[in-house]
Amino acid sequence: MTDVIVASAGAAVPVERPAQRRATWYRNAPLIAGMTITGLLILVAVFAPLIAPYDPNKQNLAVSLVGPSAQHLLGTDQLGRDTFSRLVFGARVDLRVGFIAVLFPFVLGTFLGSIAGYFGGWIDIIVMRLVDTVVAFPFYVLVIALVFVLGTGERSIYIAITIVGWVSYARIIRGEILVAKQLDYVLAAQSGGLSSRRVIMRHVLPNVITQAIVYAMSDIVQDILAIVTLSYLGLGIAPPTADWGSMIAAGQDFLTTHWQLSTIPGLAVVLTGLGLSLLGDGLADLLRPGQR
Amino acid sequence: MTALLEVEDLQVEIRNRRGAVHVVENVSFSVESGRAMGLVGESGSGKSMTLRAMMGLLPTEAHISEGRVLLNGEDLVTAPRRRLQQLRGPQIAMVFQEPMSALNPVMRVGEQIAEGPRVHLGLSRSQGADKALELMRRVGIPDPERRAFDYPHQFSGGMRQRVMIAIALSCEPRLILCDEPTTALDVTIQDQILRLLTGLCADTGTSLVFVTHDLPVVAEVCQTVAVMYAGRILESGGVTEVFRQPRHPYTLGLLRSAPDFAETREGLIPIPGAPPDPYAPPSGCVFHPRCAFATADCATQPMPLRQVTATRTTACIHDDRALESQKLLPVAQ
Amino acid sequence: MNQLSLIGRRLLQLIPVAFGVTLVAFLLIHLIPGNPARTVLGIHATPAKVAALDKEYGLDKSLPAQYLLFLNRLVHGNLGESLFYGVSARTLIIDRLPATLWLLVYATVIVIFMSVPLAMLAASKKNGVRDHAVRTIPLVGLGLPPFWVGIILVEVFALKIHLFPVDGYGSGVAGHLRYMFLPALTVAIGMAPVIIRSLRASMLDVLGADFVSTARSKGVPESRVFVRHVLRNAIIPTVTVLGINIGFLIGNTVIIEQVFALPGIGGLMIQSIFNRDFPVVQGVTIVFAILVVLVNLIVDLTYARLDPRVSLTR
């Protein structure tokens, strides 16, 4: 209410938007924080072989269940494997799978959402019914069931996540295209002779894709969570490969004595989630002003 | 005789990153028991803020930085929250501009009307319901027994405003503040609502402070009027006096640019220029940049409201020129 | 009567979804590479069992015929027979359903008690210190693996401080309340970030609305203004958000049941996966879908009840 009063009573309200937008990304705290955290994690994952002091799968029963020490920064697990090294290599696996896993739903969902939104009619109805069907299943239930029938392992994870995850992208893209179809500039372009398809491809889709990209950032978090969860349940990355989920599962037996075995990999997941969420928020802020 | 309401040097300040703004500056007026005062001005002149300050319902960014609001001698500005709650409803009430957004969309109308009395008078559920029915009849809502169970969105605009009036009247306050109550309504309905309001207040001896930008309405409803601009009062006095013999160039300008008043002339004469930036108000008289009668003094001297006659005040040092101009080019009554 | 037509309409819309769901569940077994029966049975495969499974699922018939057979059995409430336990899958599921329902309801109650005060705290002063503090919750919260949260809670509240039992279901209502607290809390923590974010936003919206001023101008005490005017309006969009996230919530119970060894249908599903007990897996999947659809229906009805502007007969 105040804004209305001040704005109407003030004749000259200085407008500084356009020039500032360039500089805003420095000031965008979530973006910077997110980029930093995520960047660090990616670096750790990429340079894992250089950072990790030990081979993550090397067992050494002589030093099993040792607490944090100079030789083993975070101690060892019950098979004598260095926790720190496993953590670092786990980052490699989980981040890699997470980032890849988001691609297929993104592509599939964008495609289906686009044709549903653009063509409408039967295609739209079919796609929406598909959406309803997938959504009727709880996320993990369907993923687990799919992983069960497809067998465990990386490939199944990608397939399962794709089958379940395309839905959100399809909805977003379809919604945006439906809105865009009504916009004045589309109608104007059409009456000017440009096919609406051309207008949509060149003007609408780029805008709309940014929404999907922002969503994808939070989706990566969900995918990493899914992978870690599946591994915890024994349905994901096959042991002995180091991965945060299986580390937590393995550590569960030693909760009373060596609680760090289960706790620390979880913290790694939380940190990853934090970094990506911040990045997503920052990106959303960046891509939003002036766009609509 | 002390007036029912006395506002003294009210100042409302808003602080944000750009600085501090006084959206209401040095506002003083008084209202007698049983009388209606109009508060006119353009959008952004601070009229709504004044009302809200009086009720203690300012938005979070704003606060009263100076002044007193005396209701029956009691200062509402310094009153603790508990006390304000006790006063709101039984002593002072408000009718808002936009009845659709001013009513709770998920609460039945009867309940909303009964809420005040139930809180203040301790009425039971059924007593409250009865009271609500009685009030609905008073404000002319047909078929109240059924309508009391309806929700706001099921009423027309005019009916909703009647509900708001019923709510304002529910605890029989001494003073009702009206914030542009008819602006959002159809012209045909406006009249009905105004009549209702004035009739009810005449019956019960309730005082009114009536905020509007619509001059003819003020002429119809109020006995006194104060003209606001950029958060300040520029002129005040009896309504017929002020409108027939304005003592401020701004008032003159308003009268000339108001459609209903200007009907006898060929065209409306709008006031040139635009309202000032509240962050950088003009020095001296706040209106001088747009004033046809402005002199060098107007830009440098402070312009407080001064008493011209027993009932008239004005903030203009050239008020006689406004009078002259009015005589030459009279505005229709 | 209005409500009946809403239910009726929704059920009608559900028919294609029902087909889709049954189709997916049906096709699951056919996604298995190689001979489904053999793969499902895994190391338990003997020629006799394989043949039995083949017959059970009519795997020797054509695909559409199989589907019809499957549907036919479904309609009669036959979800197949457990390969592991030898009893009907339906019996197993009905047996274990209460625990899951307990978990869901308990978690929902906890999440409401958690979210409302926090959202209120944040909305009381926008961009204030408390607001920023509450806003970090979704940031961190969305990255929390639910099972890990469960483990941490067990670590602290069951092992270090012996406040709650480590796992299990308990007996009797009081027992359930105690035993299920940590699992329900875990599920609630999973839900909370989304709910808090939505509730905070809608509260901020409502707090700025005129009718709140009206209520205050009536001299209504602040507590009543908050409950009857602000909250009552603010929960409406949040109910929608809850509905959208229901699938995820129900899915999380599967994991949590595993962590806390709860005898619910989620745990049943996971066990059956390791037991290669395909009929049960299939049956539970379908039941979960039914659960989601039912809960969505309840959410929709609740929304219609809460918001009188939504007409029930459209």
Side-chain angles (χ1 to χ4, degrees):
Chain A
M1 195 202 149
T2 321
D3 292 330
V4 170
I5 290 185
V6 172
S8 62
V13 176
V15 176
E16 43 347 13
R17 284 303 148 80
Q20 251 191 13
R21 220 173 358 119
R22 289 249 135 203
T24 350
W25 81 265
Y26 304 129
R27 304 243 205 115
N28 192 337
L31 190 63
I32 301 291
M35 275 168 51
T36 315
I37 298 180
T38 313
L40 277 173
L41 286 166
I42 295 182
L43 283 175
V44 166
V46 167
F47 291 110
L50 297 176
I51 301 178
Y54 297 87
D55 175 346
N57 294 328
K58 182 164 186 320
Q59 301 180 14
N60 188 348
L61 292 163
V63 287
S64 76
L65 292 177
V66 162
S69 65
Q71 278 99 7
H72 298 275
L73 272 171
L74 292 170
T76 59
D77 66 9
Q78 68 273 35
L79 295 176
R81 297 178 291 197
D82 178 40
T83 306
F84 181 67
S85 307
R86 300 208 89 212
L87 199 67
V88 163
F89 271 90
R92 203 163 217 223
V93 173
D94 288 326
L95 285 174
R96 176 175 59 88
V97 179
F99 276 89
I100 297 179
V102 83
L103 290 174
F104 306 112
F106 184 97
V107 170
L108 182 62
T110 304
F111 172 67
L112 286 176
S114 305
I115 59 172
Y118 177 72
F119 289 108
W122 274 112
I123 300 189
D124 189 20
I125 295 183
I126 294 179
V127 170
M128 286 325 278
R129 290 300 136 245
L130 277 176
V131 166
D132 285 341
T133 308
V134 170
V135 163
F137 294 97
F139 176 79
Y140 277 116
V141 167
L142 200 51
V143 167
I144 290 175
L146 284 168
V147 166
F148 169 52
V149 301
L150 295 167
T152 60
E154 228 176 282
R155 203 185 63 140
S156 315
I157 296 180
Y158 294 137
I159 297 178
I161 289 185
T162 305
I163 293 181
V164 178
W166 66 271
V167 166
S168 308
Y169 295 97
R171 274 179 171 161
I172 293 177
I173 301 282
R174 173 182 173 274
E176 295 286 325
I177 289 193
L178 284 179
V179 166
K181 277 207 296 196
Q182 320 279 17
L183 284 178
D184 284 343
Y185 67 79
V186 172
L187 298 171
Q190 276 176 299
S191 55
L194 279 180
S195 77
S196 54
R197 199 182 87 157
R198 189 191 181 84
V199 176
I200 288 184
M201 285 302 127
R202 294 191 65 204
H203 296 279
V204 174
L205 214 49
N207 268 349
V208 152
I209 289 275
T210 55
Q211 296 278 29
I213 292 180
V214 169
Y215 179 77
M217 308 273 22
S218 65
D219 207 27
I220 299 182
V221 178
Q222 294 308 312
D223 285 343
I224 293 185
L225 278 182
I227 293 160
V228 169
T229 306
L230 284 172
S231 303
Y232 167 80
L233 293 170
L235 295 169
I237 313 286
T241 311
D243 128 275
W244 293 335
S246 45
M247 284 171 77
I248 299 180
Q252 210 177 347
D253 291 329
F254 305 98
L255 223 44
T256 38
T257 48
H258 297 79
W259 54 267
Q260 74 271 22
L261 290 173
S262 281
T263 314
I264 295 185
L267 286 173
V269 177
V270 176
L271 189 63
T272 311
L274 183 63
L276 286 165
S277 294
L278 285 170
L279 192 59
D281 273 358
L283 218 59
D285 272 343
L286 196 69
L287 295 171
R288 213 188 307 124
Q291 211 77 330
R292 294 251 139 213
Chain B
M1 171 174 79
T2 32
L4 171 70
L5 173 72
E6 284 194 45
V7 175
E8 291 173 10
D9 290 328
L10 190 61
Q11 187 186 79
V12 173
E13 182 181 84
I14 292 182
R15 277 189 181 282
N16 56 30
R17 261 174 297 154
R18 291 179 63 190
V21 189
H22 291 163
V23 288
V24 173
E25 176 78 57
N26 226 303
V27 163
S28 305
F29 56 83
S30 64
V31 182
E32 306 285 329
S33 198
R35 313 266 278 167
M37 183 188 99
L39 198 53
V40 301
E42 298 168 275
S43 321
S45 52
K47 350 187 264 297
S48 292
M49 276 295 186
T50 307
L51 287 191
R52 283 183 177 254
M54 287 162 65
M55 287 290 281
L57 287 177
L58 287 171
T60 35
E61 319 83 70
H63 66 275
I64 300 179
S65 42
E66 259 183 53
R68 304 199 297 168
V69 175
L70 299 170
L71 185 63
N72 278 321
E74 187 177 351
D75 188 5
L76 299 181
V77 174
T78 52
R81 185 174 219 155
R82 273 284 154 74
R83 180 68 185 142
L84 271 184
Q85 267 172 24
Q86 284 175 340
L87 294 171
R88 288 182 195 143
Q91 295 294 325
I92 183 173
M94 191 154 164
V95 175
F96 293 83
Q97 175 176 353
E98 181 46 80
M100 188 60 229
S101 55
L103 291 173
N104 188 340
V106 303
M107 207 189 219
R108 294 181 210 272
V109 156
E111 265 188 83
Q112 293 195 51
I113 298 178
E115 199 175 12
R118 287 196 67 194
V119 166
H120 293 287
L121 307 173
L123 298 183
S124 73
R125 238 204 143 86
S126 58
Q127 286 171 323
D130 288 337
K131 180 96 186 170
L133 287 178
E134 175 201 318
L135 284 161
M136 286 173 84
R137 281 188 208 106
R138 265 175 81 190
V139 297
I141 297 177
D143 198 9
E145 290 82 7
R146 204 173 50 86
R147 295 295 254 163
F149 291 101
D150 283 343
Y151 292 93
H153 68 275
Q154 293 170 286
F155 284 73
S156 69
M159 284 295 150
R160 283 198 285 263
Q161 201 55 297
R162 289 176 194 261
V163 170
M164 284 254 34
I165 294 174
I167 290 178
L169 289 172
S170 60
C171 296
E172 279 142 58
R174 311 273 317 273
L175 173 67
I176 297 184
L177 308 177
C178 304
D179 191 357
E180 311 225 30
T182 52
T183 306
L185 300 174
D186 264 351
V187 178
T188 41
I189 312 284
Q190 274 185 26
D191 214 41
Q192 289 175 20
I193 300 294
L194 284 176
R195 265 185 241 279
L196 175 66
L197 206 46
T198 46
L200 288 170
C201 291
D203 284 343
T204 54
T206 314
S207 303
L208 277 183
V209 175
F210 199 98
V211 160
T212 179
H213 60 266
D214 197 346
L215 300 177
V217 165
V218 173
E220 207 184 303
V221 171
C222 307
Q223 291 90 33
T224 54
V225 67
V227 178
M228 271 188 90
Y229 177 79
R232 297 158 177 79
I233 294 190
L234 296 184
E235 179 173 15
S236 72
V239 110
T240 6
E241 275 187 293
V242 172
F243 285 174
R244 284 233 183 93
Q245 297 167 338
R247 282 181 174 271
H248 197 290
Y250 177 61
T251 315
L252 187 62
L254 271 186
L255 291 165
R256 286 189 177 153
S257 58
D260 291 310
F261 276 157
E263 31 178 297
T264 56
R265 286 180 289 106
E266 325 84 67
L268 309 173
I269 307 176
I271 309 175
D277 178 3
Y279 292 95
S283 53
C285 171
V286 75
F287 183 63
H288 86 258
R290 304 168 75 184
C291 184
F293 309 125
T295 62
D297 283 345
C298 298
T300 51
Q301 280 185 36
M303 294 284 167
L305 204 55
R306 62 190 170 86
Q307 207 78 27
V308 182
T309 69
T311 53
R312 295 291 299 274
T313 62
T314 178
C316 182
I317 51 179
H318 299 302
D319 57 314
D320 46 326
R321 298 184 63 180
L323 270 180
E324 284 296 312
S325 181
Q326 154 69 347
K327 289 203 187 94
L328 291 172
L329 208 54
V331 175
Q333 196 354 268
Chain C
M1 196 185 78
N2 284 344
Q3 291 196 327
L4 224 58
S5 75
L6 177 70
I7 298 180
R9 250 181 318 116
R10 283 305 243 84
L11 285 177
L12 223 64
Q13 284 173 355
L14 285 178
I15 292 185
V17 176
F19 268 113
V21 165
T22 51
L23 201 59
V24 169
F26 166 71
L27 286 174
L28 277 179
I29 195 172
H30 290 279
L31 282 175
I32 301 176
N35 179 329
R38 180 149 305 152
T39 316
V40 163
L41 289 167
I43 54 169
H44 302 288
T46 65
K49 279 195 180 163
V50 172
L53 202 56
D54 269 348
K55 181 136 179 293
E56 174 89 3
Y57 286 92
L59 289 171
D60 38 342
K61 303 200 185 66
S62 71
L63 221 56
Q66 287 183 40
Y67 182 53
L68 284 171
L69 180 63
F70 174 70
L71 272 184
N72 186 28
R73 288 176 28 223
L74 252 190
V75 168
H76 287 102
N78 183 352
L79 288 166
E81 188 176 291
S82 160
L83 295 172
F84 195 71
Y85 294 102
V87 294
S88 90
R90 193 174 74 171
T91 316
L92 279 175
I93 292 174
I94 292 185
D95 202 39
R96 317 260 283 197
L97 201 53
T100 304
L101 292 177
W102 251 100
L103 186 58
L104 279 173
V105 173
Y106 205 174
T108 308
V109 169
I110 294 182
V111 100
I112 293 176
F113 274 101
M114 274 173 69
S115 310
V116 172
L118 281 172
M120 190 177 136
L121 203 64
S124 62
K125 186 146 196 227
K126 183 171 175 179
N127 287 329
V129 170
R130 288 181 252 187
D131 188 17
H132 280 299
V134 170
R135 277 157 83 182
T136 57
I137 295 180
L139 275 179
V140 175
L142 289 172
L144 290 173
F147 65 91
W148 179 76
V149 172
I151 293 178
I152 301 286
L153 284 177
V154 164
E155 216 178 275
V156 176
F157 292 104
L159 293 174
K160 288 250 153 60
I161 318 169
H162 298 282
L163 208 56
F164 293 99
V166 174
D167 56 22
Y169 190 31
S171 50
V173 173
H176 291 334
L177 280 176
R178 187 160 170 261
Y179 273 77
M180 302 276 276
F181 179 71
L182 286 182
L185 182 61
T186 310
V187 174
I189 291 179
M191 267 211 281
V194 175
I195 304 287
I196 291 178
R197 192 156 61 173
S198 160
L199 203 52
R200 169 190 169 274
S202 59
M203 271 192 200
L204 282 174
D205 264 348
V206 171
L207 279 172
D210 276 347
F211 63 83
V212 173
S213 296
T214 306
R216 290 191 179 132
S217 79
K218 288 194 258 188
V220 174
E222 198 61 25
S223 57
R224 197 187 146 99
V225 170
F226 180 75
V227 172
R228 295 236 47 204
H229 295 267
V230 177
L231 196 56
R232 184 64 182 69
N233 275 279
I235 50 177
I236 295 176
T238 303
V239 165
T240 311
V241 170
L242 192 63
I244 296 178
N245 283 283
I246 272 295
F248 216 76
L249 165 69
I250 294 183
N252 274 350
T253 63
V254 172
I255 322 288
I256 302 302
E257 282 179 17
Q258 188 69 356
V259 173
F260 287 89
L262 293 173
I265 56 175
L268 179 63
M269 181 173 185
I270 308 245
Q271 270 175 44
S272 304
I273 286 181
F274 286 112
N275 294 335
R276 326 270 329 161
D277 197 348
F278 181 78
V280 176
V281 174
Q282 190 181 53
V284 173
T285 307
I286 294 179
V287 169
F288 264 118
I290 296 176
L291 207 56
V292 169
V293 166
L294 270 178
V295 173
N296 265 318
L297 194 61
I298 295 177
V299 167
D300 274 350
L301 281 175
T302 311
Y303 183 87
R305 269 333 288 286
L306 286 177
D307 191 348
R309 291 168 290 187
V310 171
S311 92
L312 290 171
T313 51
R314 213 172 326 136

